[in-house]
Amino acid sequence: MLRKLVLACVERRYVVVLCLLAVTVLAASGVPKVRIDTGFDRLILEDSADRLAHQRVAREFGSDNRTVVYVRDAALWTPAKLAVLERLHRALATLPMVERIDDLYTRRSLRSVDGTVAAGPLLSGVPADVEAAESARRNALADPLALRNLISADGNAVALTVSLRERADAQADRAAYDAIEQALAPARGAFAEVFQVGPPRIGFEFERGLVHDLKVLMPVSAALLFLAVLAIARSLFAALVPLATAGLSLLWTLGMLGHAGIPLGILGAMLPPLVVAVGVAASLPLMKGYFEGLGGSAGGDRAAAIRFMAARLGTPAVVTAAAAAAGFAANAFTGIALVRDFALAATFAILANGVITLLLVPVLLAFAGPQRVERAQPGGGAGPMAGIALRALGQGRHRIVFYLLALAAALVAAFAYQVPWLHVTNDPLAFLRADRGLVQDASRIQRDMAGVKVFHITLESADGPAFQDPPNLQKLVDIQAFVARQGIFDRSLSLADELSLVNRELNDGRPEAHRVPATRKLVAQSLLFFQRRDLEPYVSRDFQRANIVVRHDIRDSTTLNHHVEELRQVVRHIAGPGITSAVTGENLMINAAADRLPGDQVRVVSFLLAAIFLVMSLMFTSFKGGLVALVPGVVPVALMFVVMALAGIPLNAGTAMVAAIAIGIATGGAIGLFLRYNSLCRRTSDYDEAVRGTVREEAGSVAAASLVLALGFGVLLLSGFTIVAQFGALAACAVLFSMIVNLLLTPLVMSRIRLVGLYEILAMQVPREVVDNSPLFQGMSSYQVRKAILISDLREVAAGTRLVEQGTMGASMYLVVSGELEVVRRDDGSERRLALLRPGDVLGEIGFIRATLRTADVRALGPVSVLRFDRDKLAKDLRFFPGIVARLNFNISCILGRRLADLVESSDVAQAARPAD
Amino acid sequence: MSRAFAAMAARALLAALPAAALAAPDGAGIMDRARSHRPQACCIYQELTLIQSDPAGESGVRRIRWFERHEPDGSSRLLLVFVAPTDVRGAAVLVTRDASGAARGEVHLPALGRPLGLAARTAGAMPLAGSDFRLADLLGEEPGGYTYAREADAEIDRSIHYVIRATPLGDARSRTGGGLRRHYVRKGDHFLVRTDFLDPRGLLARRQSFRDPRQVEPGIWQADMVLMEDFGERHRTLLKVERRVFSPDYAPAEIFSRQWLAGGRHLLIGGDAPFGP
């Protein structure tokens, strides 16, 4: 069918070009609609149950979409610098997207001074002189809630924490980033360091990184793969064709994204190298077929070469592309939008590339294909990889099978052992390289003050204003003490902190009074010193709900999730009956998605393996075949996980996709080998030779395609995103592992099986008389007959050819499938036709039992198809197809028995006819 | 003929008016007039309701009793006593201002059991019970603490208002917690209808509006509702006068003392007989 399609494309090449052009124009119209979305929402599970709780907390206690503006200067506490700082504060406060600012200008403190209490912000206006500035600095450092929260311990750095309103859309972060940068611009010259860290900057850095990656990765991957193909094929045309198909595929994919409204996330940077690599891998078999066809034709006949290519182009090409696409598509079932959208885009790209390659490459070859065979052909010949594989196969095959299977089992066990320790993260900062300015700035803020990331611990009482009661306030203190004991979070702040501080100051600053006020009335009266904004982050207006704000800078989801889960349990315990609790935060939801990654990974891989097992079992009509087909997929994945564990590569939104992709690619390659092996098995009774032949024929293609893919994935190491680079490295490793497995392990396990394709069975045309008349197929269904034919050695015999030659030794039995043959005995130069054989007839059955001298010629009267049976082959096949082979053997024994009976009968007749002595 | 006569008459009328009457009033003059149109009673007793709200709705209600007393020497005293909700009942703020204008404040928290002096520098900037009002907003502006400059008149609710820009002098800013402000004084009755508090860049930060003016004496008006809006925080506080009495009986001198407060006698205040048993 593919052959017909390719030939039809070549025949109607202008129509094909017009169709491709039309689709391309349609796709191009969607490209301007492609939007980049690097928002945090896309990292959160879409079905996250915490979303509502988080929204409620954010509405009540303020957004946790916070940006910290960090200002450091050795001479910060001078009127001139503080004047700039105040202007910065004002500029930030007036930004439309700013919900709230927490800094030294808004932090109101109550201080006990010489028997009086002074209330007011730590900084108000511009100090009149240096002395006033120094006094303000001392006050700020003396406020325990400002220290290492708003001001560094050395006093030279301050933080302006800007809470941003809920994001209206994906562009809101970018607008916020720009507006904050604009506000920071006048201050940059005044201070040694001024920068912002928060979701808007992370979003901006992601966007910038994505654009950078697209600019760098696309040309680099194109150039590298161009050179690689040029080196392999020694043909400029062969090197340019995949670039053309990849370019079109990419355009189609971007167009689809634009029209479907699927945004391009940070993983989108992987698309161009992926498409180019897949494009090259897909076009290599076609180019190989073309060059082989060209080599076989006289005078560089393009049309003949294309026909040859089309004939060679079979199911393997489609199956390989489909398996790779399935590998990517399997990732679309994750709950993380970022991964799902990339999986959809990549799947579309691979399928589009398959269609474009199938349609365009033959047309391009027809228009301008080379007419001269180069020295090397893409993936052609045995090549060094085939040599290595064949040597390995030649040395103690059975021992190696055992060792390799044992090694594979050990790797799977090692992977299973490593799973609990596998590092899992979904934290946005962990997606960036450690040397990036943003990552270092975030670390700087954490070192000097506290981490930029925030989450909330909220307690809600069932009745009344519970959080004016000292026992309930003490619960906040206890929870905060536990948070401090966990030793992983930077600091926590609550109403209890504020009240304890006021209580201390109301008691002349005595340290022992630094605790929650003792009575409910004292709590209520202490609260008179607060303005509402001071309490808004910590307690609801009705004092029924309290909130503890926790700051941290944990970038490892496993660690964070573990400690948050521990915290949840302790909070629940401390809260006690009548008070419900929740630990929420956007940052927590993002990291919580990481917890789903291993589960998703197991689900996706299991689903894929199950699908492969079922498809392969059906495809090769054998569960054993289905099981064997899993080996090439499982082993590279196990190896990949071991590499991850050893190299400390985390499981993240990028690396989580590799397993499914690796299974897809490895299985695709393996299916190609199975099909070739299957085809060779039908030509020989020596299955080991069929394996060697498979490796000899396919190793070059497998190696070339794998190296090209590995190179394409390897280019991703140049990405500015750790997540993309790690994906690239792992995917490249997995592809190389799958290549090794497919060249060494797959042939070995393959030699233990004999497969028959369902599609071959269904496609086979068997003459009715063969099924009805042949004694060999007595008692067998049409399906069994076809399968029996397919596991047999089918031979095509040209007219006039002698299938059996009189006087030679023969050990095979034949069944005529189509055509006619005559049995001719040659005696003294004369010929005598003994019989005419038609479809269904059997000949040479004696030879099947024992090698014997042929007593007559059997000659084809026209084109003839015969099935050859020999005892050794059927003995082998009995292991693989016991039902069918047993039936065949039974029928053969019937034929032989009948022949014996005939012989005995004819002998009796002869003896009876002899005159009695 | 008649037109020429009218012009001549107008010129004669203008020439007959005193120069002072024709000169446009300056900012300080207008503010003086505005102050002079406030109640001049020596003692004021008010029962107030303080209602706080934010975009999410009402966020708290407190009831306060207001005792204000002005002495002939120019000194004044203000006592605010919280009567509801129950947990803050009896909490009080006492502010005394001497003849020179220097203010001193104390806070009494019954639950603490002793008075707390407020640092003079920051007393005025202290918010009233967590509301958007600062003590300085309630005390009124110290005339000597500001310079006044008149700006172009503005129309508010179809009435023309004087607009006066007030700039703090010396440490008035730190004491009151405010900076530049702009007063809107209604022409005609010199009723101060609004004060806009500006941030250092001249942008509107808070707005105090005097509403429901009630004529308490001929030509003397007082607002029954004062609204303070904080635009930065998006909060509002409404101070509603439920009852007002101008009488020394309702603000006797002895109640403005530490002893009175420390003895808890202010807790006994209530109803029509504020100083009953």
Side-chain angles (χ1 to χ4, degrees), chain A residues 94 117 506 530 533 536 541, chain B residues 57 114 117 119 130 201 233 235:
Chain A
T94 50
V117 288
L506 294 182
F530 291 94
R533 87 170 310 278
E536 273 169 351
R541 290 178 301 172
Chain B
R114 62 190 177 81
R201 293 188 304 170
E233 302 299 334
H235 290 166

Side-chain angles (χ1 to χ4, degrees), chain A residues 10 29 91 169 231 474 501 571 587 614 641 726 740 755:
Chain A
V10 173
S29 68
D169 54 44
Q474 187 57 41
L501 186 59
V571 168
N587 181 257
L614 287 175
F641 278 115
Q726 286 168 339
I740 293 166
L755 303 171

Side-chain angles (χ1 to χ4, degrees), chain A residues 27-290:
Chain A
S29 68
V31 174
K33 296 180 192 165
V34 175
R35 60 189 171 87
I36 290 176
D37 185 352
T38 53
F40 283 10
D41 258 8
R42 304 174 50 67
L43 294 170
I44 298 172
L45 289 171
E46 291 172 322
D47 57 354
S48 173
D50 291 337
R51 270 181 195 266
L52 278 179
H54 171 253
Q55 282 168 3
R56 206 168 46 239
V57 169
R59 265 199 305 275
E60 180 140 45
F61 299 111
S63 161
D64 61 357
N65 180 8
R66 294 182 188 190
T67 284
V68 173
V69 171
Y70 175 94
V71 175
R72 173 173 275 280
D73 198 282
L76 178 65
W77 294 92
T78 56
K81 300 271 183 183
L82 291 177
V84 181
L85 189 67
E86 199 213 17
R87 282 200 293 276
L88 175 59
H89 163 82
R90 301 279 173 198
L92 291 170
T94 50
L95 295 178
M97 68 286 292
V98 171
E99 183 178 271
R100 174 188 172 98
I101 290 194
D102 289 284
D103 60 11
L104 297 180
Y105 292 96
T106 60
R107 165 76 197 150
R108 291 171 39 76
S109 79
L110 189 75
R111 296 182 299 281
S112 172
V113 183
D114 302 329
T116 62
V117 288
L122 291 172
L123 265 177
S124 175
V126 181
D129 49 33
V130 174
E131 199 178 320
E134 180 54 26
S135 169
R137 176 177 177 272
R138 279 197 303 273
N139 285 338
L141 288 171
D143 182 344
L145 300 188
L147 186 64
R148 294 190 65 82
N149 181 28
L150 302 174
I151 183 169
S152 64
D154 66 2
N156 290 337
V158 292
L160 298 89
T161 305
V162 182
S163 301
L164 301 170
R165 296 188 205 290
E166 210 170 311
R167 300 178 186 93
D169 54 44
Q171 301 306 313
D173 270 348
R174 181 55 200 264
Y177 172 79
D178 289 341
I180 293 171
E181 278 301 301
Q182 215 172 342
L184 297 186
R188 290 205 190 279
F191 302 112
E193 286 178 73
V194 184
F195 56 78
Q196 59 164 312
V197 174
R201 181 168 171 200
I202 295 173
F204 169 77
E205 295 277 353
F206 277 8
E207 197 175 319
R208 193 168 65 169
L210 176 59
V211 172
H212 166 269
D213 276 9
L214 289 172
K215 280 182 186 165
V216 171
L217 299 182
M218 191 151 31
V220 169
S221 58
L224 271 178
L225 291 173
F226 171 80
L227 292 173
V229 178
L230 198 61
I232 294 170
R234 309 281 171 88
S235 160
L236 188 63
F237 183 86
L240 284 173
V241 163
L243 295 187
T245 57
L248 273 185
S249 309
L250 195 60
L251 189 67
W252 284 23
T253 306
L254 291 175
M256 183 277 289
L257 293 179
H259 286 305
I262 299 173
L264 208 55
I266 55 169
L267 297 179
M270 300 197 285
L271 270 180
L274 176 77
V275 171
V276 172
V278 168
V280 171
S283 64
L284 278 178
L286 273 77
M287 297 308 299
K288 181 188 172 194
Y290 177 80

Side-chain angles (χ1 to χ4, degrees), chain B residues 54-118:
Chain B
D54 58 26
E58 185 186 294
S59 61
V61 177
R62 292 192 170 112
R63 299 199 189 285
I64 302 170
R65 292 179 190 272
W66 169 298
F67 305 90
E68 185 178 353
R69 187 174 178 95
H70 296 268
E71 303 299 344
D73 64 355
S75 64
S76 62
R77 282 170 287 185
L78 172 67
L79 174 66
L80 302 174
V81 178
F82 291 85
V83 291
T86 316
D87 286 336
V88 297
R89 182 174 165 78
V93 180
L94 174 62
V95 183
T96 58
R97 185 184 269 171
D98 64 20
S100 69
R104 192 163 55 83
E106 277 183 7
V107 173
H108 291 256
L109 302 179
L112 189 66
R114 62 190 177 81
L116 292 163
L118 296 176

